[in-house]
Amino acid sequence: IVVHLFDGGLDQGIATNLPGTAHLDILGRIVGIFNATSDPDGAARGGHGQLDTAIIMGNASVGTVDKGGYLLGQGVAPLASVYATKIFTDELGTLELGNYTYTELTQFAQNAGAIFSNNSWGAAINGAYNSNAAEFDALVRDSDPDEPGNQQTSHFFCAGNDGPGTGTTWSPANAKNIVSVGSHENSDADGFDGGTSGPTRSDNIRDVYPTSSRGPTTDGRLGVTVVATGTHVQGAASTVEGYTGANVSSKYWPTNQTDYCRSTGTSHSCPVACGAGIIVYEMFRDQLSAFGHTSAPSPALIRAVLTNTATDLVGGSDGNGGVLANIPNVHQGWGAVNLETLASLKTSLYSLDQSHVFTASGQDFEVTLSPMIADRPMKITLAWTDVPGVPGAGTELVNDLDLRVTQDGKALQTFKGNVFSNGFSVTGGNLDRKNTLEAVFLENPTGGPVTVRVTAFNVAGDGVPNSGGVLDQDFALFAWNAGEPDSTGNIRIFPADINCDTTVT
């Protein structure tokens, strides 16, 4: 799996993978490096692009361990490969695209095999949706407009570092179809990053970091999709001659070695989430038949899975003197990325991935699901890749879908997407007219089946370009602790709950 990094270059700027041309933790998996700046090469003298790359796909080949015995430089997806595009200069960190557009630069990466994109950068425009956000909304669906069909790419953007005030998310993180990543603290309480992020800012993973940007966007969308660890995040230091570490918090950390650095900010929580997205992609790609899919997972499904399985940080600090409320909210989005949640019930999942297409307003899709494990919540998430919006419009949503879940227990109850209280769905409320992601979380499913209905409230644009007509929209549907009932009963025994002497009845 190849990930594209729009950033400040990569290591020595050499993509030969020959010994001595790159850090051992990434050597052998550099697919390409393209320099769009006026710098003489694509090297990472400031260190920012190097660290973000390593957070995603470093493999700790150096073998150095920290004081707790853990490998330094272990990335989230340590078998991934990287294509790097340098768009920030070494000396000033100035954004330069040369004579290229983001679309053209993304095409180069897509032609090299990239299907993920990490973007730890953005413009502080107070939650506004601009032309850059619209451009990346289009690139999620098709990252190479010159190639037939749709080449889908999952784009991850850092939410920004202008918190703790609300309405501070950056663009293109304000786009609709991408994953916008805020930051929560680490838990090492170890020293300072650049003299600002000290032990008390890195001692509780339930606390949102104060400078992490917050939603909502100007048109009322959530703004932050998920949060991930963003303080004292460690990874490979650049090996290029002249490495300054100017764009990371600590040039080297620990200070008695030169292999690793660390830094703080949503720039570094973003690649944590991107690496997690790669793991989700791998799981679904390698188990197509188990999920009834015919193609690799879409960016919409990746968003649905990451948000559905995230952990609510309720009770932690909101980074602004208050206490975090339950999800969803503008501080933590849908919660902290947590792949353990997905792995814990990976045999009790339901997913549908862009196999159903609406062609007109008013159409419905229905499926019946049953909870698989008693006494656990049932979580259902709908996500779709919408038509790019019009900058400055009062509402950027073009094709509007609705999620409803009807539970037939002692009393018939219907839950609308994104109507929550205390972290779980409640009846009543209004249908969401803003977001491209809706969820229903049932705290205590009755044990009987539920009816999941997706309705095309308004199909006003070509949501699936290069296919079908001018009005269409597909979607991804993901449910945790859920399965489709059939005539065959299934008994699941979880080893963690029993031992060899247990009588199972």
Side-chain angles (χ1 to χ4, degrees), residues 97 176 277 366 371 427 492 503:
L97 300 183
K176 300 177 291 182
E366 280 191 7
T427 57
R492 288 176 169 80
T503 300

Side-chain angles (χ1 to χ4, degrees), residues 2 4 102-117 135-155 177-178 281 295-300 354 385 463-467 474:
V2 179
H4 177 209
Y102 291 119
T103 298
E104 290 170 332
L105 294 172
T106 299
Q107 283 180 285
F108 299 158
Q110 192 277 328
N111 289 335
I115 53 176
F116 277 80
S117 175
E135 185 173 5
F136 276 95
D137 270 341
L139 289 171
V140 173
R141 174 65 71 175
D142 189 6
S143 58
D144 190 348
D146 295 332
E147 188 175 332
N150 291 315
Q151 286 69 49
Q152 300 181 86
T153 300
S154 291
H155 289 269
N177 301 328
I178 57 88
Y281 180 96
S295 59
S298 69
Q354 298 188 163
T385 299
V464 192
N466 306 315
S467 176
D474 56 14

Side-chain angles (χ1 to χ4, degrees), residues 144-450:
D144 190 348
D146 295 332
E147 188 175 332
N150 291 315
Q151 286 69 49
Q152 300 181 86
T153 300
S154 291
H155 289 269
F156 288 70
F157 278 87
C158 67
N161 300 312
D162 284 329
T166 57
T168 53
T169 50
W170 292 355
S171 180
N174 294 321
K176 300 177 291 182
N177 301 328
I178 57 88
V179 178
S180 172
V181 187
S183 65
H184 65 75
E185 291 185 10
N186 207 325
S187 59
D188 61 347
D190 186 12
F192 283 81
D193 273 359
T196 56
S197 177
T200 61
R201 292 300 187 192
S202 187
D203 62 357
N204 191 337
I205 60 172
R206 302 197 73 86
D207 293 348
V208 170
Y209 194 66
T211 62
S212 182
S213 289
R214 324 296 167 98
T217 60
T218 54
D219 68 328
R221 288 175 289 114
L222 200 55
V224 176
T225 311
V226 289
V227 292
T229 305
T231 66
H232 296 190
V233 188
Q234 199 150 20
S238 179
T239 67
V240 66
E241 184 177 356
Y243 165 58
T244 65
N247 297 323
V248 294
S249 301
S250 301
K251 180 180 179 181
Y252 296 116
W253 190 271
T255 55
N256 61 352
Q257 51 80 57
T258 58
D259 288 311
Y260 298 102
C261 65
R262 75 176 186 183
S263 196
T264 289
T266 60
S267 280
H268 314 302
S269 60
C270 186
V272 173
C274 183
I278 291 172
I279 298 297
V280 172
Y281 180 96
E282 181 185 37
M283 179 184 126
F284 280 86
R285 179 201 64 185
D286 293 350
Q287 299 181 50
L288 289 179
S289 60
F291 292 107
H293 298 177
T294 58
S295 59
S298 69
L301 182 59
I302 301 298
R303 278 196 301 136
V305 173
L306 288 177
T307 53
N308 182 290
T309 59
T311 293
D312 191 348
L313 300 183
V314 59
S317 169
D318 67 1
N320 195 25
V323 177
L324 278 173
N326 286 104
I327 57 167
N329 60 61
V330 297
H331 303 282
Q332 63 168 318
W334 290 94
V337 171
N338 186 357
L339 292 181
E340 186 175 357
T341 308
L342 177 67
S344 68
L345 277 182
K346 67 180 182 178
T347 60
S348 300
L349 308 174
Y350 167 84
S351 62
L352 179 142
D353 192 15
Q354 298 188 163
S355 59
H356 188 90
V357 181
F358 295 125
T359 56
S361 302
Q363 295 177 341
D364 286 318
F365 169 85
E366 280 191 7
V367 63
T368 299
L369 299 177
S370 292
M372 306 297 286
I373 309 297
D375 302 322
R376 294 203 189 187
M378 184 180 188
K379 299 184 175 184
I380 301 142
T381 301
L382 166 71
W384 67 99
T385 299
D386 192 21
V387 181
V390 178
T395 298
E396 298 300 341
L397 195 62
V398 177
N399 289 341
D400 188 358
L401 308 185
D402 290 326
L403 174 65
R404 293 181 181 87
V405 176
T406 301
Q407 183 173 253
D408 188 6
K410 294 181 180 178
L412 198 66
Q413 293 180 306
T414 296
F415 301 87
K416 302 182 184 74
N418 293 359
V419 179
F420 279 75
S421 177
N422 298 322
F424 289 98
S425 296
V426 293
T427 57
N430 298 317
L431 292 162
D432 189 305
R433 294 283 169 257
K434 301 287 187 181
N435 296 284
T436 60
L437 193 150
E438 296 188 11
V440 169
F441 292 175
L442 302 178
E443 184 175 14
N444 295 303
T446 60
V450 301

Side-chain angles (χ1 to χ4, degrees), residues 479-503:
W480 185 85
N481 187 22
E484 290 186 87
D486 58 32
S487 59
T488 302
N490 292 301
I491 297 175
R492 288 176 169 80
I493 297 176
F494 290 84
D497 299 332
I498 65 172
N499 57 52
C500 293
D501 298 323
T502 301
T503 300

